[in-house]
Structures are given as C-alpha cells and as structure tokens.
Amino acid sequence: MLVRGWRRSWQKRSKLERIDLYSRLTVSVIPWLFTLSWQLAPFKSDIRHAPLPIALGVALLLVSLVQCLLSNRNVELSYAHYLGAAVFPRRRQLTPLVLLLVSLGLLATLAGVDGVDDDGLLLMTMNAPVAFAITQALLTPVRTFLIQSFVVTALSVGVLAAVGVRGGTLAGVGPTTLFGSLLTLISVRPSAWSLGVMWQAEEARDLQARLAVAEERLRFGRDLHDVLGRNLAVIALKSELAVELAERGKPEAVDQMVEVQRIARTSQQEVRDVVRGYREADLSAELAGARGVLSAAGIGCEATGDTGDQLPTPVQSALGWVVREAATNVLRHGDPRHCTIRLRSSADEVVLLVENDGAAVAAPGPDGSSVAGDGSGSGGSGLAGLRERLRGVDGSLDAGPARNGLFRLTATIPLGPAASSARHQEKPPAAREAPVLQEERP
C-alpha cells in the first residue's frame, strides 16, 4: 500500500518536480554514503581493537551520524535559500559547526592515543567536513566556500600535528580534508545551479502564458468595444429622443424605438460574429500572433509566402489551428533560436511549412514513423487533434525531424477546381492581389 501511494505521488509530479526531488534526495544521501564508507570502514582493521580506541571510534561515528541528520534537516531550506525562495537562518549552522569541531577533537584524540593507523586516519579526516560542507556549499559563494575549506583544512592539520602526527601522514591530512570539501562542492553546487536554471525557465514559460492570456483578453475586449461602443451610443441617443417625443405625444417616437430595436438585433449578431471568430482560428491573426509570441520569447521568426486571404474560410481556419499548435510546440520543446513559417498555395493545393531549430532527438514512433523526441511528434495529442481538423478539409499533416537538427511540420490541403473557383468568388480582385506576407527576424 505504501509503495502504491508513493508511486501515485511520483506520477502526479511534473518532470521538473521529479528532477527537483531526485536532486534533493541525492544530496541527502551523500553524507550517509560517505560516513558509512569512510567512517565505518576503519573499524575492520585500521582502528586498534582496544577499549579506548574503539570507544573513541564509536563516538566519532555517532557524531558523524548526527551531522548527517542535521545536514538532511537543512537540505530543503538551504536549497530554497540558494534559489532565492527563502532565507536560511545562519544559527542553524551553529550546531553542525560545533559537531565538526568535536569530530576533529575526537579524531585528534584517537590519533594521539595511537588508536588508528595512517590509512584509517586519512579516511576519517576526509569524511570530517562533508556533512557541514553540503549546507555551506548552498549558502555561500564559491570563493567564500573555498576560503572556509582552507581554514578547516589548516585547522585539521594543526590539531593533528599538535597530538604528534608527523611525516607523510600529516602531509596527507591537508589534501584529503580539502578533497572532501571540494568533492562536496562539485557534487552539490552544479545540481542546485541546474535546478535554479530549470525553475527560472519554468517561471518564464508560466509568465509568458499569462501574458498571452492577458493579451488575448485585451484583444477580445477591444473588439467588443469596437463592435458595441458605437451601437450602444446610438441606442442611448435614440432612446432619449424617443422618450422626449413620447412625452410630447409625437408618433415619431415609435419610429425611433423601432430603430433602437433594429440596432440592438444588429449588435447581437455582431457579438455572435466576434465570439464565433474567436472560436474559429483566423489564419492571418494566428500568423501575426505566432510571430509576436515567438519574438517575445527570443526566437527569431520569419514568415514568408502568401497571406492566405484568398483561401476558403474552412481552409484558413484549419491552417490557423496548425500555426497555433506549431508555435506552441516551438515554445514548449527543445531549445529553438529560429523558426520559419512558409505558406504556399496553388490551384491544386495549399502547403503550410513550419520549421525550427533546436529540436530534440528523434525517436521511432509506434507505427515506425519518425517522431520528435520532444513529444511534439505524431504521438502528441496536439498534433493528433490537428490531423482530425485537417481531415475535415481532406488535408494531411506530417511532423518529424529534418536535416541539420531541424524539426519540420508540414500541412497540406488539396484545392480542387471547384474550391479554387469558390476561393476567387469569396474575395474581390483587390484581395487576390494582396502583397506577400514577410517579416524578417528582428
């Protein structure tokens, strides 16, 4: 039951949350791993089997285990301090510092009574700063941490020299103590830095999504204002006029109210058209939106080819959804720097091509086709929905990795003779001569 609960909890986490949890658990395990290997191993043959050396060795082991517990207790808050989400109270490091000094004292006493040989002494010296250094590596800048490591190393050498450790053993104390601190630094600091970068990227994506929603709300509100503002003003004026005419007993008041009724019904229809327009993707609006969103995310976007204004409305709507989903995939997957959108139409078909760099490694799909390893291939629900929309206009969609590490999405919709004729009938000649849509990368 416990395993099932843990598994459900793991599956509910996002990929980034799983990486975060894995990193923190790894850091929590490090002091225990080093203590059980470097502090426990000398009991077998390096510590002299006599009551006093054994007692000192056990005391040193217990102090190291308490240091591990305190280190685990501080992992969560020290990570939050490093990521800027909280402030670590420095007083919480006071007890681990005292235990570090106690462990050095016990180690010096063990060496002073000749209770441990040289190899065991060096192993335990290497382990001494690890638990304390894990938290310090997340709380202090690298330069400060290195200075503190040199201070602990000098203190270890001085204490052991004071109890009579000499020669090669004393010369090895410095490098081994410093190695323990540096090993902790290169194990913990890069992990925290990577997590910080990933969380910042996640926050940037969330902010970008919120900005996109806010922009869409503003656009919707602006369109509603443009549609209803004038009509409501006219309705207000005509209503006031009808009231004045009615008070004077003029029959023209009825005509004014009829006009008010007509304008109100027209406004209702215009509102329905606005709502319908937002439920149906508009190709020109989606192209402009894709360029704006990608450029805001630092991705150069170049759109070339036809404007799409000459296409039948169902075809425009289907291609608009393709542009929207393609732009979403570019933002969500890989590490793109440039995106190209090409729209080409002829008498027989219209082709929309979206190509971006920074694609993830490709993997074979369930049907043997090539699918983007970033999840944007045919196995994704977004592209599956696009295929359904395109099937409504007899179109097809192809998505997968291309040359030079690019990811390419191609939507093709056939245009028969009847569709071509209807297309030209829907727009005036001026629309068929619309200029080429092109925007260079800023």
Side-chain angles (χ1 to χ4, degrees):
M1 185 64 69
L2 181 61
V3 174
R4 290 181 180 177
W6 181 87
R7 183 178 179 183
R8 283 195 296 268
S9 175
W10 175 262
Q11 291 175 344
K12 290 180 180 178
R13 298 176 184 268
S14 66
K15 291 182 179 180
L16 182 54
E17 289 174 338
R18 294 178 185 180
I19 295 174
D20 188 301
L21 179 60
Y22 172 79
S23 300
R24 296 170 191 263
L25 288 177
T26 301
V27 171
S28 299
V29 169
I30 287 176
W32 297 96
L33 180 64
F34 289 166
T35 295
L36 295 179
S37 57
W38 294 347
Q39 199 73 47
L40 192 59
F43 278 91
K44 183 176 181 181
S45 58
D46 296 322
I47 295 180
R48 184 162 53 89
H49 290 182
L52 182 57
I54 291 295
L56 290 172
V58 170
L60 187 57
L61 177 61
L62 292 176
V63 170
S64 298
L65 293 177
V66 174
Q67 285 181 299
C68 293
L69 289 173
L70 293 177
S71 176
N72 288 173
R73 179 172 173 264
N74 290 333
V75 163
E76 194 74 24
L77 191 54
S78 58
Y79 257 100
H81 179 93
Y82 180 85
L83 298 176
V87 177
F88 187 93
R90 296 292 177 171
R91 64 179 181 275
R92 295 186 65 163
Q93 276 293 79
L94 181 61
T95 302
L97 178 60
V98 171
L99 291 177
L100 173 60
L101 298 177
V102 170
S103 64
L104 291 178
L106 290 172
L107 191 59
T109 304
L110 186 61
V113 298
D114 196 22
V116 61
D117 61 18
D118 295 344
D119 293 338
L121 179 63
L122 293 179
L123 272 179
M124 290 188 287
T125 303
M126 190 184 308
N127 178 69
V130 169
F132 178 78
I134 286 178
T135 304
Q136 284 298 108
L138 295 174
L139 299 181
T140 59
V142 174
R143 183 177 179 180
T144 304
F145 179 86
L146 292 176
I147 294 174
Q148 294 174 350
S149 299
F150 280 110
V151 171
V152 173
T153 300
L155 181 62
S156 301
V157 173
V159 169
L160 291 175
V163 296
V165 178
R166 297 290 185 271
T169 303
L170 184 62
V173 169
T176 54
T177 305
L178 191 60
F179 174 77
S181 298
L182 295 181
L183 181 61
T184 303
L185 178 66
I186 63 177
S187 299
V188 175
R189 191 82 178 196
S191 172
W193 177 81
S194 300
L195 274 181
V197 171
M198 288 187 288
W199 278 117
Q200 288 176 2
E202 185 72 12
E203 291 173 359
R205 289 180 178 177
D206 291 343
L207 177 60
Q208 181 180 345
R210 290 195 295 270
L211 289 175
V213 171
E215 182 180 356
E216 185 67 15
R217 287 176 177 172
L218 289 175
R219 186 158 68 102
F220 188 79
R222 183 172 60 249
D223 289 353
L224 280 180
H225 177 271
D226 294 342
V227 168
L228 294 180
R230 181 185 63 84
N231 291 352
L232 291 177
V234 173
I235 289 175
L237 290 174
K238 286 187 173 294
S239 298
E240 292 178 3
L241 179 59
V243 170
E244 292 181 3
L245 292 174
E247 289 176 348
R248 297 175 184 177
K250 300 289 186 178
E252 289 84 354
V254 177
D255 297 334
Q256 295 298 326
M257 291 308 299
V258 170
E259 183 66 12
V260 167
Q261 185 181 39
R262 184 192 65 80
I263 296 175
R265 289 177 177 174
T266 302
S267 300
Q268 286 181 327
Q269 184 59 44
E270 289 176 345
V271 170
R272 294 191 189 99
D273 292 339
V274 170
V275 174
R276 187 181 302 111
Y278 276 87
R279 290 177 180 174
E280 296 178 359
D282 180 74
L283 180 56
S284 299
E286 293 300 333
L287 285 170
R291 289 197 304 270
V293 171
L294 293 178
S295 298
I299 303 172
C301 182
E302 179 184 1
T304 61
D306 300 333
T307 62
D309 292 338
Q310 305 175 20
L311 300 174
T313 301
V315 174
Q316 286 196 48
S317 179
L319 292 178
W321 284 107
V322 173
V323 172
R324 181 183 299 182
E325 180 66 21
T328 301
N329 282 342
V330 171
L331 289 172
R332 292 175 56 191
H333 305 297
D335 186 19
R337 290 293 177 267
H338 189 266
C339 177
T340 302
I341 303 175
R342 298 189 185 95
L343 181 64
R344 184 180 71 255
S345 61
S346 64
D348 300 326
E349 65 179 10
V350 56
V351 178
L352 174 69
L353 185 143
V354 182
E355 198 172 64
N356 65 276
D357 60 0
V361 179
D367 57 355
S369 60
S370 182
V371 180
D374 58 12
S376 59
S378 60
S381 59
L383 297 188
L386 289 183
R387 288 189 171 89
E388 294 178 1
R389 291 182 183 274
L390 290 174
R391 277 197 293 268
V393 289
D394 297 327
S396 62
L397 184 73
D398 182 33
R403 66 187 189 285
N404 300 328
L406 300 177
F407 185 84
R408 179 181 298 162
L409 183 147
T410 306
T412 305
I413 300 177
L415 298 175
S420 178
S421 176
R423 173 177 48 150
H424 285 80
Q425 291 176 2
E426 286 182 357
K427 300 291 181 179
R432 294 198 295 270
E433 298 175 358
V436 173
L437 168 66
Q438 184 169 358
E439 177 171 319
E440 297 295 335
R441 177 178 179 178

